[in-house]
Amino acid sequence: MKEIYNFCAGPAMLPKPVMALAQAEFLNWNHTGCSVMELSHRGPEFMALAAKAEQDLRDILDIPDNYKVLFCHGGGRGQFSAVPQNLLTKTGKADYIVTGSWSKSAVSEAKKYGDIHVLEPVVEIQGEKQVLPSSQWDLSTDADYVHYCPNETVDGIEIFELPDTGEVPLVADMSSTILSRPIDVSKFGLIYAGAQKNIGPSGLTIVIVREDLLGRAMPTVPEIFNYQTLANNDSMFNTPPTYAWYLASLVFSWLKELGGLTAMEARNRNKANRLYDYIEQSDFYTSKIATANRSTMNVPFYLRDESLNTAFLQQAKAAGLLALKGHRSVGGMRASIYNAMPIEGVDALIEFMQLFAEQHHR
Ligand code: PMP
């Protein structure tokens, strides 16, 4: 079978060696005679797996001891709701930085719970979107937290700087950037991420929360979203998504073997640079994001002649390059090139784009 490369934004492709290992031990995991998904989450075998997965993630991200790691349900959108219900309880005010469609959705949910101050630091200069530096964000001093999305999956806008929010806890929706490069966890109050891009399959959501932010939830928060309850129960307050947790554990081992986040960042930079460099020098394709904020994980691009979009997608699919259609809200194309996308996939895409441009140049 010819090599297929899946550029889907999420659920996204998983590393081949991880899939192969999961397949090999699907029916008989760890000599138990059972599939891992059939085991009790409270049994010693699964508890050991869960503990190792957490430790591996702590090692990979260098998570300080005063942070809890929670393995939750509910996805990124679940956290749009859980974050305010857990944290918006001192002044009841929060700053939300809107840089694209996901941070905008987070605002709609947070508004149900308190006084949300929305900041929109995206400007458009000569047709390219750019995020103003955080030093120019008009942050409140009395907010319970500042929420932002360092990588907007739909828009392809990434914020590379670490915003300085002083004493106000910084909350980040890292759904589409977590594990793509090293980060200083100690600078964040809370980080959350749906698993279905760089962690594993959908169904699992990771929350990394500084301990002093626990225990201040609204009394009305559903217990399953109460961080303190989840922490007290080692994320096993109810039945967790055990199979997704298991696959995440394999992804963490794979990442460690490859050299962790420093190695991953170099791989990812190389992939993204090749693609952006090609788009930049082409007069057939274009990007609408300024260089300083071009996402390493999600690369939106446009054909200058949009009437060729359908042909592009059809021919790409025939060439084994899947899911390149941009999100309907922004149109065009989008190549999601998460950790699991090999450089060969990016090269195959560039080769196809070159060929398509040559065929359709007028
Ligand atoms: N935040 C970001 C940055 C996302 O990319 C997504 C999903 N693509 C979400 C939140 C929503 O995640 P979920 O579908 O897991 O609720």
Side-chain angles (χ1 to χ4, degrees), residues 160-294:
F160 293 95
E161 68 160 325
L162 187 69
D164 180 3
T165 55
E167 292 298 297
V168 178
L170 181 60
V171 173
D173 172 3
M174 292 207 182
S175 295
S176 52
T177 177
I178 195 161
L179 304 182
S180 67
R181 57 186 162 98
I183 48 164
D184 183 352
V185 174
S186 73
K187 297 285 194 295
F188 294 86
L190 187 146
I191 291 166
Y192 64 87
Q196 62 270 24
K197 290 111 170 40
N198 269 342
I199 296 173
S202 60
L204 174 70
T205 315
I206 303 279
V207 174
I208 302 167
V209 55
R210 213 173 60 211
E211 280 170 358
D212 63 286
L213 296 174
L214 297 175
R216 57 185 254 192
M218 296 177 179
T220 48
V221 67
E223 217 48 51
I224 190 64
F225 273 164
N226 188 329
Y227 298 143
Q228 180 76 71
T229 304
L230 292 173
N232 290 347
N233 290 279
D234 296 324
S235 303
M236 296 201 186
F237 172 64
N238 77 331
T239 314
T242 53
Y243 197 72
W245 198 331
Y246 153 77
L247 275 173
S249 81
L250 298 188
V251 171
F252 299 155
S253 302
W254 171 80
L255 248 175
K256 272 183 131 175
E257 265 170 41
L258 279 180
L261 296 188
T262 310
M264 197 44 76
E265 180 179 35
R267 268 172 60 125
N268 287 333
R269 268 266 58 94
N270 184 30
K271 287 187 292 179
N273 285 347
R274 282 204 208 192
L275 189 47
Y276 284 118
D277 286 351
Y278 171 67
I279 293 168
E280 196 63 35
Q281 58 76 49
S282 147
D283 55 8
F284 192 84
Y285 304 97
T286 180
S287 162
K288 294 187 182 174
I289 312 296
T291 321
N293 294 109
R294 286 182 183 168

Side-chain angles (χ1 to χ4, degrees), residues 9-10 74-78 80 102-103 149 151-154 173-176 192 194-197 205 338:
R77 280 192 187 274
F80 292 173
W102 287 112
S103 44
C149 180
N151 187 64
E152 284 283 2
T153 322
V154 168
D173 172 3
M174 292 207 182
S175 295
S176 52
Y192 64 87
Q196 62 270 24
K197 290 111 170 40
T205 315
Y338 298 114

